[in-house]
Amino acid sequence: AVSGSGGGGAAAAMLALTGDKNDRNSVFFRFKSEGDALEKVEFIGREIAVGDLRQTIADRKNLSKLDIELVNEATGEVFEKGGLLLPRNSCITVRRTPLRPGRHKKQAVLHVENVDAWGA
C-alpha cells in the first residue's frame, strides 16, 4: 500500500509541487521496522538529493535527520553523502540509527534539589 504525501516542514515546502505534471516524480520508502507499507515522496525533476529526502522523511515522521539512515533496497548500499542524487522511482529502506559512542541522549528534565533556582 502506498500512502500519499503528508507532513510539513521546510523540506516539504522546498519540495512543493509546482510546474508541469510531467516534471513530477516520486521515490518510495519504507521503515525496516514497519514491514511492507510503502510511502511516497514527490518532487520536481529527475532526481532528489539524499539529504533532501532524509530531511523530508525526518520531518514527516517527527525525527531528527541524524537518527535515520537510507538504504538502497536493491543493492543494500547505505547512502551516507547528502549530496548524492537518487533517481526517480527508487525504493529506499529507512532505518533508525542507534546512539553512536560518545553521543549521549540528553535528559528531558533537569532535577535540582535544595537549591532556589529563582532566588535573588
Side-chain angles (χ1 to χ4, degrees), residues 11-33:
M14 181 178 67
L15 298 174
L17 298 175
T18 59
D20 189 288
K21 172 173 131 173
N22 296 327
D23 294 335
R24 297 178 186 182
N25 287 297
S26 305
V27 293
F28 302 91
F29 72 93
R30 76 177 94 230
F31 275 80
K32 185 174 183 175
S33 61

Side-chain angles (χ1 to χ4, degrees), residues 8-89:
M14 181 178 67
L15 298 174
L17 298 175
T18 59
D20 189 288
K21 172 173 131 173
N22 296 327
D23 294 335
R24 297 178 186 182
N25 287 297
S26 305
V27 293
F28 302 91
F29 72 93
R30 76 177 94 230
F31 275 80
K32 185 174 183 175
S33 61
E34 294 180 3
D36 293 334
L38 277 177
E39 293 187 52
K40 175 170 64 171
V41 172
E42 293 183 318
F43 59 95
I44 300 295
R46 293 180 170 190
E47 302 166 319
I48 184 171
V50 167
D52 292 339
L53 179 60
R54 182 179 286 125
Q55 185 65 56
T56 300
I57 294 169
D59 287 350
R60 192 179 290 181
K61 298 295 186 173
N62 295 319
L63 300 169
S64 165
K65 70 179 183 177
L66 301 176
D67 290 341
I68 60 175
E69 67 182 7
L70 306 182
V71 180
N72 183 325
E73 281 196 6
T75 66
E77 174 190 5
V78 176
F79 299 117
E80 295 181 13
K81 296 186 178 186
L84 181 69
L85 296 175
L86 301 176
R88 63 184 177 201
N89 299 324

Side-chain angles (χ1 to χ4, degrees), residues 64 66-67 97-108:
S64 165
L66 301 176
D67 290 341
T97 56
L99 290 176
R100 295 181 192 104
R103 183 176 157 209
H104 301 286
K105 196 168 192 170
K106 295 180 183 176
Q107 289 185 340

Side-chain angles (χ1 to χ4, degrees), residues 107-115 117:
Q107 289 185 340
V109 177
L110 175 63
H111 182 71
V112 179
E113 292 184 31
N114 300 325
V115 175

